[in-house]
Amino acid sequence: MSMPTVRLTMAQALVRYLCNQFTEIGGERVPLFAGVFAIFGHGNVTCLSEALESAQDQLPTWRGQNEQSMALAAIAYAKAKKRRQIMVAASSIGPGATNMVTAAAVAHSNRLPVLLLSGDTFANRVPDPVLQQVEHFGNPTTTVNDAFRAVSRYWDRITHPEQIISSLPQAVATMLDPADCGPAFLALCQDTQEVAYDYPEAFFRPTVWSIPRPRPDRKRLAEAAELLRTAKKPLIVSGGGVRYSLAEETVAAFAEERGIPVVETIAGKGALTHDHPVHAGPIGIIGSTSANALAAEADVVIAIGTRLQDFTTGSWTAFSPGATFISINTARWDATKHRALAVVGDALETVNELNDALGAWKAPASWMEKTRALFAEWNALLDQHQAPTNAPVPTYAQVVAAVNAHAGPNDTLVAAAGGLPGEVTKGWRVKNPNTFDCEFGYSCMGYEIPAGWGHAMAKEGDGTPIVMIGDGSYLMMNSDIYSSVLTGHKMIIVVCDNGGFAVINRLQNFKGVPGFNNLIKDCRVREPFAVDFAKHAESMGALTRHCESLADLDAAMKWAQTTDRTTVVTIVTDAYHWVPGDADWDVGVPEVSTSQSVQEARAQQVEIRGKQRVGI
């Protein structure tokens, strides 16, 4: 007996499949693929766009302004949805495709799902070379889409229409696998998109996906409980995986019951509110004095859902050489870092089972007392740096505090590269869980405004994204101000103009090199001049105000909360004054130089490397 089939082009079948994938959020069945960001070109406009146009009531398509930025918006959407829903980003071949490589790297580094669809050359090669094709003389099967191999968790090239029957379920499974989550990429050959095939109707049967929760190995769990019971000064490092596992309340309750302080990574910040009784601040290079002091003393460190990036570990100088690590992670790769006792499993389930295995054990009460005293000192230091003054140019700390004060409890702070990650990770006081997104896995300049658009879509009016961005990142990617006004997705953007790439200028100076090619005044230019960011944003349909003082900023933030569309607030900010850090960072400094300041910086770097905990 033959299987019932339906005859569709490959592009039509792909879209129909996406429309029939579902997931559950809060007990409600919702589409797994919430929409498509797309820019059409000759590699996808005649076939994929035809299929998307027919399905737009089920799978809405949003027009992007830049392929990279629309994929970044898709990534932020997935982050806001805690990896429970996925957006698609579709481009043509050539530059449209390669524009998305950076975004794929952002998703890969941050373990976030996004489905990337790019047009490709002809499978039959008859019209080769086609427009925008990059030819490889020794291998005609290579196209620019092969660049995505290095930045994708799943990669495939569709050269026959029936290949999507096996490829699409694998792509979805990869994006929903908590251990292997990341971008899935499909290269769609132009001629294959048009080919009709008799697809089994069963392929399009509605499917409800759920994210698996792998349980830990019993023996490893028992070893972890035994090790933790020996601890006098235990510490939890809470990473982004805690949020994606929906384990925020579980980890907080476990920490409170057992008397263990919780410090947060950059991706993990926001799992707890700032004032939660076990919260001890962000850890690492752009962390708090409280968290770093605890890390230096901790004897057993429980790393939950973190990949232990160098900004978290102070390039592995933040922890005592004698500290022992228990690493709870769905990814074996992350769990086995730095000689940790690897407990591979879902954060929520593993923490619950670890709690059950611990019996009556609690950390000494004096340890939590010390934590609270250290955190109080940190808050006092923040208050000191954030207090308003009459200085003509406000500091980043003061601007962050002013914006934070006017943020609603459900407004989400969005930041990425430059000086703002340090200032908001240290100084933003989270009011409600999961209202903080600082992209620092890939530290991608230009993430901020597209991410604001993605968060606004995901929030659906439940709070407003507040994007804090420097002038350098603004100039790099700003066109989704226009996108957000067009589509009615409001965000508030605060542009801090410090005259160039100020934080990297700070690092350059700190390592002995005079200001060079970072601040506009130090570049090879005819004459430095400032951009009027307010006028620029206004030309894209945003409402805008330029602020000359903290008082202006205060008034502008009150106003911005009342507007009906994307609103941009600009303010000149001090390029040299930052909240100080107390953690080390390993960067390359010239071993040989004629500069005395570079020689001194080199000596300091050698000293830093002498403190490092050497792992694997």
Side-chain angles (χ1 to χ4, degrees):
M1 186 172 64
S2 62
M3 180 182 297
T5 61
V6 55
R7 191 163 182 80
L8 299 167
T9 69
M10 184 273 281
Q12 293 163 354
L14 186 154
V15 170
R16 181 174 293 193
Y17 178 87
L18 296 182
C19 289
N20 282 289
Q21 308 310 301
F22 298 90
T23 187
E24 288 189 354
I25 298 179
E28 179 185 355
R29 191 175 91 158
V30 298
L32 177 61
F33 294 96
V36 180
F37 293 103
I39 294 178
F40 295 126
H42 70 279
N44 63 358
V45 71
T46 54
C47 294
L48 184 62
S49 81
E50 185 268 349
L52 288 170
E53 189 275 335
S54 299
Q56 59 183 301
D57 292 338
Q58 292 177 270
L59 186 66
T61 297
W62 304 93
R63 179 188 179 279
Q65 316 306 323
N66 175 289
E67 290 87 358
Q68 179 180 324
S69 74
M70 69 186 190
L72 292 174
I75 291 164
Y77 184 97
K79 186 180 288 190
K81 293 293 187 179
K82 298 184 184 178
R83 307 197 302 200
R84 262 75 185 161
Q85 279 184 293
I86 301 169
M87 292 291 281
V88 183
S91 80
S92 185
I93 74 169
T98 53
N99 276 351
M100 295 200 298
V101 172
T102 294
V106 172
H108 195 283
S109 296
N110 287 278
R111 320 295 209 251
L112 291 166
V114 60
L115 178 60
L116 303 174
L117 305 174
S118 286
D120 209 333
T121 56
F122 277 64
N124 65 26
R125 302 190 200 167
V126 172
D128 282 7
V130 298
L131 179 65
Q132 298 179 337
Q133 180 175 345
V134 174
E135 295 179 273
H136 288 258
F137 303 156
N139 186 351
T141 67
T142 299
T143 75
V144 294
N145 285 331
D146 288 88
F148 285 92
R149 291 179 185 268
V151 289
S152 299
R153 293 289 186 186
Y154 182 86
W155 187 99
D156 197 4
R157 174 175 283 119
I158 306 302
T159 58
H160 293 276
E162 61 269 36
Q163 289 173 344
I164 63 170
I165 297 173
S166 60
S167 191
L168 280 171
Q170 293 291 351
V172 174
T174 298
M175 290 185 287
L176 294 180
D177 185 339
D180 204 31
C181 183
F185 175 83
L186 299 181
L188 308 177
C189 290
Q190 293 178 65
D191 50 342
T192 307
Q193 291 180 46
E194 73 186 51
V195 176
Y197 180 77
D198 294 320
Y199 288 93
E201 287 186 356
F203 180 57
F204 306 109
R205 188 175 297 144
T207 301
V208 180
W209 295 79
S210 62
I211 296 177
R213 291 189 178 276
R215 265 57 172 189
D217 176 76
R218 292 190 184 94
K219 182 174 182 294
R220 285 297 177 92
L221 191 73
E223 291 173 357
E226 183 179 356
L227 174 57
L228 185 53
R229 280 192 290 265
T230 70
K232 304 299 182 187
K233 297 179 178 181
L235 182 68
I236 291 173
V237 179
S238 176
V242 170
R243 297 170 66 179
Y244 301 139
S245 176
L246 311 182
E248 303 96 330
E249 293 181 6
T250 298
V251 170
F254 171 75
E256 198 163 6
E257 179 182 348
R258 302 297 177 174
I260 307 174
V262 177
V263 300
E264 294 178 317
T265 70
I266 302 166
K269 183 177 170 73
L272 304 180
T273 59
H274 183 79
D275 295 324
H276 192 284
V278 298
H279 180 231
I283 187 173
I285 294 167
I286 55 177
S288 60
T289 56
S290 50
N292 290 335
L294 293 169
E297 287 192 51
D299 53 3
V300 177
V301 179
I302 312 167
I304 309 177
T306 170
R307 64 193 185 111
L308 296 173
Q309 183 219 48
D310 66 341
F311 261 60
T312 297
T313 67
S315 297
W316 286 105
T317 65
F319 301 97
S320 164
T324 305
F325 279 73
I326 298 169
S327 189
I328 297 171
N329 208 296
T330 53
R332 175 196 57 79
W333 176 271
D334 291 325
T336 55
K337 289 174 180 174
H338 277 263
R339 307 189 304 279
L341 172 60
V343 185
V344 179
D346 172 72
L348 187 150
E349 299 297 339
T350 302
V351 170
N352 275 330
E353 292 185 26
L354 178 60
N355 193 44
D356 292 342
L358 277 174
W361 175 86
K362 289 186 178 182
S366 58
W367 181 234
M368 187 57 75
E369 290 170 6
K370 181 170 187 175
T371 295
R372 287 171 181 155
L374 288 168
F375 194 50
E377 291 175 8
W378 170 247
N379 279 316
L381 182 63
L382 277 182
D383 290 341
Q384 177 185 333
H385 282 280
Q386 293 183 336
T389 65
N390 292 323
V393 180
T395 67
Y396 267 93
Q398 292 170 328
V399 171
V400 168
V403 175
N404 200 172
H406 292 287
N410 293 330
D411 293 346
T412 296
L413 186 282
V414 181
L420 278 162
E423 298 301 304
V424 298
T425 301
K426 291 175 182 177
W428 189 269
R429 307 189 200 205
V430 173
K431 299 175 183 179
N432 268 355
N434 296 299
T435 56
F436 184 89
D437 173 12
C438 179
E439 192 292 296
F440 219 61
Y442 203 59
S443 182
C444 181
M445 292 183 72
Y447 172 82
E448 302 92 333
I449 293 174
W453 188 27
H455 274 282
M457 284 187 174
K459 294 182 81 66
E460 297 178 314
D462 184 19
T464 302
I466 298 177
V467 175
M468 294 197 71
I469 185 170
D471 53 305
S473 284
Y474 180 98
L475 288 171
M476 192 168 285
M477 193 164 292
N478 52 60
S479 58
D480 282 325
I481 292 173
Y482 180 60
S483 301
S484 70
V485 175
L486 277 175
T487 60
H489 294 103
K490 178 187 172 180
M491 54 179 142
I492 298 170
I493 302 171
V494 181
V495 182
C496 297
D497 183 358
N498 56 29
F501 302 141
V503 77
I504 208 67
N505 180 72
R506 175 193 180 199
L507 176 63
Q508 186 180 51
N509 296 167
F510 187 59
K511 296 305 178 182
V513 183
F516 175 66
N517 203 51
N518 286 316
L519 296 182
I520 301 299
K521 69 181 182 64
D522 297 327
C523 297
R524 191 182 296 275
V525 296
R526 291 179 60 184
E527 183 178 348
F529 68 94
V531 174
D532 190 329
F533 294 103
K535 285 185 177 179
H536 182 267
E538 185 179 1
S539 74
M540 289 188 284
L543 301 174
T544 68
R545 276 193 190 177
H546 176 68
C547 302
E548 297 288 349
S549 65
L550 288 172
D552 283 355
L553 179 61
D554 182 74
M557 287 303 301
K558 288 179 182 177
W559 164 73
Q561 291 285 15
T562 70
T563 59
D564 65 352
R565 72 192 76 168
T566 290
T567 302
V568 178
V569 175
T570 72
I571 187 167
V572 174
T573 313
D574 193 299
Y576 296 98
H577 191 284
W578 311 89
V579 175
D582 63 344
D584 293 315
W585 188 23
D586 192 359
V587 296
V589 178
E591 187 174 359
V592 177
S593 175
T594 58
S595 167
Q596 179 66 30
S597 58
V598 172
Q599 292 171 17
E600 292 170 358
R602 171 69 185 187
Q604 293 170 352
Q605 207 65 35
V606 171
E607 184 180 339
I608 288 171
R609 290 171 181 170
K611 303 176 189 177
Q612 286 176 319
R613 168 191 171 99
V614 179
I616 54 174

